[in-house]
Amino acid sequence: MSQQGYVAAPPYSQSQPGIGGFGPPNSPIHYGHYGDPNSSYSAPQPGVSKSAVPFGSPAPVGPPPPGAQQFSQASFQNGSGTPGPQPHRFQGPSPPSNTGPSYRPYSHQSQAAFPNTAPASSTAQLADQLNSMQINSYGPGTAPSSGASPGHPVAFQGPRVLPSAQQQMGLPPAPQLPPPPANSVNGLCAQPALPPMARQGGIPGPVPPNPNLQHLPGQPPGPGYHPQQANYGPQMAASQLSYPGAFPGGPAQLSGPPQKKLDPDSIPSPIQVIENDKAARGGQIYATNTRGQVPPLVTTNCVIQDQGHASPRYIRCTTYCFPLTSDMAKQARIPLAAVIQPFAAVPPNETPLYLVNHGETGPVRCNRCKAYMCPFMQFIEGGRRYQCGFCNCINDVPPFFFQHLDHVGRRIDHYERPELSLGSYEYVATLDYCRDKKPPKPPAFIFMIDVSYRNIKSGLVKLICDELKILLDKLPREEQEESSAIRVGFVTYNKVLHFFNVKSSLAQPQMMVVTDVAEVFVPLLDGFLVDFEESRSVVTNLLDQIPELFADTNESETIFAPVIQAGMEALKVRTFLSVREVEYFVNVVSSALCLHGGSVDFNVEPAIGVEFNKRANVVSLEQAAECAGKLFIFHSSLPTAEAPGKLKNRDDKKLLNTDKEKVFSALSEEGTASYIAESVWLYDASVLTLFQPQGNYEALAKDCVTSGCCVNLFLFPNQYIDVASMGLVTMYTGGTLYKYNNFQLDTDSSQFLSDLRKDVQKKMGFDATMRVRTSTGFRATDFFGAMYMNNTTDVEMAAVDCDKAVTVEFKHDDKLNEDTGALIQCAVLYTSMGGQRRIRIHNIGLNCSSQLADVYRTCETDALINFFAKSAFKAVLNQPLKTVRDILMNQTAHMLACYKKNCASPAAVSQLILPDTMKVLPVYMNCLLKSCVLAGRPEIPTDERAFQRQLVMAMGVADTQLFFYPLLLPIHSLDLKSDAVPAAIRCSEERLSEGGAFLLANGLSMFLWLGASVSPELIQGLFNVPSFAHISTEATSLPDLDNPFSKKLKHILAQIQSQKPYTMKLMIVKQREQPEMLFRQFLVEDKNIYGGASYVDFLVCIHKEISQLLS
């Protein structure tokens, strides 16, 4: 099959501003993202413009437009065409057997709530369009290379016609309302408010069937915000996609006689893909002994055996077969990337990494490219020399490393050395890998607590102190060590800083106050960082006294940047007086340093230190060895005190559509106004600036990375706090950001304490530098994650834990070799928790092919979405949201169009053909486009956008998979006689039943949704109350009950929580009650309240884009 690029119909063949890739609008276009001016798509012919076909209409049929070129040989003929034998239809998951017909389906009515003037045939046209869609692996007409058998074609058959008379759940029909006026925001229709619901006996009164929730004026709906009083309207008017080719509504918008309804089971199901992989590969041993093999999905539990390539727990790739040339890569537009999670947790039934120690000689490395010894090195000349697999350089084998070869040219100690037989292992680093060639000290944890008025009165400070007394006994340690080597220190702050001396020889802790926050210094020369075991009694006394010490405070203003600066200074190298002099100074100068006696202000009396330095007459300067560490900062408000890092509230929606906003108009590509309303674009531009940090936080973050100072931030805001600025230091340093909106001690403390315990006990590396090396022909070009880069090759992280992942994109710089493949080596230099300098190595080999079919066959959708999410979330710093969404749509359409043209059997243009490995890419991409970071609606709080953006940037593949497509379990179908968890169902309202109970989790939020007709036995078993009306939605956990159903569900909850880095707060949601608004946002296959398209609508939209590219 010819590999020549397909000819695109205008305007896609034109170079459009902002579509060439993420970056500044005028930046050069890169093939690795979204196109290339030299790509094989032809320029448009004069006079041909893009057809503005409404979404609901069928794909173009008939002869091609004038000037459009048709394909030769395996061409795609325009027109209806009659396909050959119908392939097997893709089957969606069957409903749980015990949901039964006795439960009324919780689904849409067949008639829309709003009348529409569209012709009655529109839905039929839409159905006909989907009728011709096809999902295909590799059709009969394609000869896949490498001897791989062709996949089984799977096609979209005609949609089943569902019964027009739907169950009404005993409720009156929806009132017929006049068409709502169009709203300029994102093409949505403004929805009329309905009267509040009547309540009878604690249960909502009659409401329209299947009500979609609406945004209330002045109320910010979204995750993490207190529920507001709401009115429940009928089904939402169909919203327009804010993507290219926006459409004026979906089938649910139409009125008139009963229409055909598209059957969701006829389109690809992520749940079915997951379940199929579990059935085929779950519970088995996956050996990494073959180059380029595709691993099980992240949702499949299996045992991984390292046999020469890194475990997929450490590295996952977007495709495991790279195209041979850059021209092929430009043609396919599939991003070539790897998601690297270097410290990923390993299950107990898998072997941990081996530690290799070559003594003072250090690791064996290539003389030219500096790659580390690995299974990709080829030994020659009887074992005296080896050829580097990355740069082909011939190196001498060091005498201590020499070993003879066997009859096949393999060293006889091959299986005795981890670096020769395994894909992942560690080296002990020599002093050459240490700062200033000095061995590092064990890291330190510094706990920094905001003791302003609100935190004291809410009980948060006491909660933190009480928990630390228990948690400090569980500091992480090396497996072979009996106790932790990590030292601890304590700081409190409001407008000033309070340092505490907790030296073991003291009877009471001592406090020193620094009021000059403009130039922060650490007043303690000894006794600040201590071993907890040695200073246990003093530390415990301090944690007991902190809440009492600040109990009467009235200070509400806080600082923030000086807090980080102080923690960083405490970890730096510094010159100070001897311990004898410090003890003399503390004991003789002022007994007022005792907590009960007051404090000494070193800024008010700076001469005290000088005076007693002279009197001591024992001045002896020493060097304190530098150590890396982590700051745990507990903060609750916008830092408004006069100090470096002071922030102002810039979350002002009054700026929308003002002259202040219009300064960003130069960022828009030409023609933006033709796509969306000006107000939405202006909001997109304002969001662009709100993602940028204020003040000097970027410089502070860089200093922290240089010092090996990681910042973990626990935020407790009740209003805007500027996460984009305050969280930047956390993101650059490899730390973790936690946010608890409107924190309440009784409802939120368990979630916060669980997060704190997980974080403190995490095993991690400090002061880390990562470098990715590749074999000849391609190289790493872009990096995405919670890290900082001072140059183009080294990824610097003050700390890296088991949950952090860095996504790396690769591009060709030469032709690859099918025989040697594409080799990748990731090396992470870090300091262990015991203070040992180590190098962690991960190696993986990928195949290369001259056939695009091989590239598509080995793609991994979960890794692709991880890459697209991170690249898009990075792009929002420089481009309006609209432009970013357009790029994602364009990229998706081009990938699928290239597959249809080059890899699939000849088919009509009206058929949608998806590669088997990408058949759920559209649903995941739609979930990404609907995420709150990319949604172009001003109702979404800026802090929530920034928070979720930062979280996703650090996520691995498993976390992004769950985040964008949540897990939805039918709890009412639990099998109490089995340990099995009920099979997940698709995230759609149609899958809910009024008599069921469903658990939803996405890694950040967790909901237990209860249908209005759920059985009394289930209610009694879970909540120990007699009826649905008695269930309290204020609870954030299930009661401990001694019955099998309760125990089984709590076990499932604990199992889900244990696999994710963040503790998910459980929210009880009752059908047709107000909190259901939050729950619905996670039913990602449906339209959402922010205007995102349903899965079906998005699939049709993608189909139209592909058809226009191939027309």
Side-chain angles (χ1 to χ4, degrees), residues 11-17 19 29 36-37:
Y12 290 91
S13 51
Q14 296 176 345
S15 296
Q16 301 183 33
I19 300 299
I29 299 174
D36 187 286

Side-chain angles (χ1 to χ4, degrees), residues 679-719:
S679 60
V680 175
W681 184 85
L682 288 173
Y683 178 75
D684 279 4
S686 69
V687 170
L688 185 154
T689 61
L690 294 178
F691 279 129
Q692 300 284 355
Q694 298 185 61
N696 63 341
Y697 282 96
E698 187 165 359
L700 178 61
K702 295 176 182 178
D703 291 342
C704 285
V705 174
T706 303
S707 302
C709 175
C710 173
V711 179
N712 274 22
L713 184 55
F714 295 79
L715 293 176
F716 306 88
N718 59 0
Q719 56 187 357

Side-chain angles (χ1 to χ4, degrees), residues 377-635:
M377 306 299 188
Q378 181 65 43
F379 289 89
I380 57 177
E381 298 182 15
R384 292 186 296 272
R385 309 182 81 183
Y386 70 91
Q387 183 176 16
C388 176
F390 296 91
C391 67
N392 298 321
C393 177
I394 305 297
N395 299 270
D396 292 329
V397 174
F400 81 91
F401 197 69
F402 172 78
Q403 188 54 270
H404 295 285
L405 308 182
D406 61 14
H407 65 286
V408 295
R410 176 186 295 170
R411 286 172 56 119
I412 60 176
D413 63 349
H414 176 83
Y415 292 106
E416 299 172 10
R417 289 190 176 273
E419 67 269 36
L420 299 182
S421 57
L422 300 179
S424 300
Y425 44 89
E426 288 191 321
Y427 283 113
V428 175
T430 62
L431 291 179
D432 293 334
Y433 295 87
C434 302
R435 292 178 184 264
D436 301 323
K437 295 190 176 182
K438 295 180 181 179
K441 294 291 184 181
F445 286 177
I446 303 178
F447 299 92
M448 317 185 85
I449 305 172
D450 173 3
V451 290
S452 58
Y453 175 82
R454 190 166 74 88
N455 283 3
I456 292 292
K457 296 306 177 185
S458 68
L460 177 61
V461 173
K462 184 175 182 353
L463 179 71
I464 294 170
C465 292
D466 289 345
E467 180 62 26
L468 288 180
K469 286 186 287 187
I470 303 171
L471 199 51
L472 291 177
D473 275 320
K474 302 176 182 178
L475 293 173
R477 57 181 174 84
E478 298 291 349
E479 292 182 2
Q480 68 276 13
E481 299 293 335
E482 295 182 359
S483 61
S484 175
I486 293 175
R487 295 174 292 165
V488 295
F490 303 89
V491 175
T492 59
Y493 66 94
N494 39 48
K495 290 177 66 173
V496 296
L497 293 158
H498 318 101
F499 293 82
F500 295 94
N501 185 346
V502 287
K503 189 176 180 181
S504 58
S505 60
L506 297 176
Q508 288 285 339
Q510 299 173 341
M511 180 176 75
M512 299 182 183
V513 180
V514 174
T515 58
D516 185 5
V517 293
E519 296 183 7
V520 175
F521 68 97
V522 180
L524 277 170
L525 307 182
D526 186 40
F528 179 65
L529 297 178
V530 298
D531 183 289
F532 175 66
E533 290 295 333
E534 296 177 359
S535 300
R536 176 184 295 272
S537 61
V538 186
V539 170
T540 302
N541 286 341
L542 170 65
L543 295 174
D544 286 335
Q545 295 174 28
I546 284 178
E548 301 173 5
L549 182 66
F550 299 98
D552 298 327
T553 184
N554 293 317
E555 188 58 68
S556 58
E557 286 191 322
T558 59
I559 57 176
F560 184 69
V563 178
I564 299 175
Q565 186 74 33
M568 180 176 59
E569 293 294 333
L571 299 173
K572 277 185 177 181
V573 173
R574 64 184 189 276
T575 303
F576 56 80
L577 299 174
S578 68
V579 174
R580 283 181 56 197
E581 182 174 15
V582 175
E583 290 177 345
Y584 179 87
F585 175 75
V586 171
N587 294 328
V588 177
V589 173
S590 178
S591 60
L593 291 178
C594 179
L595 274 177
H596 296 290
S599 61
V600 169
D601 190 332
F602 281 78
N603 298 291
V604 175
E605 300 291 346
I608 292 179
V610 178
E611 174 66 20
F612 280 91
N613 286 348
K614 297 177 181 177
R615 290 175 57 184
N617 200 27
V618 288
V619 178
S620 173
L621 298 182
E622 296 179 348
Q623 276 285 332
E626 179 179 12
C627 75
K630 182 158 67 168
L631 311 183
F632 294 82
I633 303 178
F634 307 91
H635 193 88

Side-chain angles (χ1 to χ4, degrees), residues 111 171 182 330 362 365 437 502 529 711 821 927 1077:
Q111 184 168 345
L171 300 176
K330 294 174 185 178
R365 305 179 65 179
K437 295 190 176 182
V502 287
L529 297 178
V711 179
C927 296
M1077 175 176 61

Side-chain angles (χ1 to χ4, degrees), residues 883-923:
T883 302
V884 176
R885 292 192 298 266
D886 289 350
I887 292 171
L888 291 173
M889 273 293 283
N890 182 271
Q891 175 83 352
T892 305
H894 274 85
M895 286 192 300
L896 300 178
C898 178
Y899 173 81
K900 181 175 181 179
K901 177 185 183 299
N902 295 283
C903 306
S905 302
V909 173
S910 59
Q911 284 186 304
L912 175 63
I913 302 179
L914 303 175
D916 191 61
T917 56
M918 289 186 183
K919 61 188 174 187
V920 293
L921 179 64
V923 66

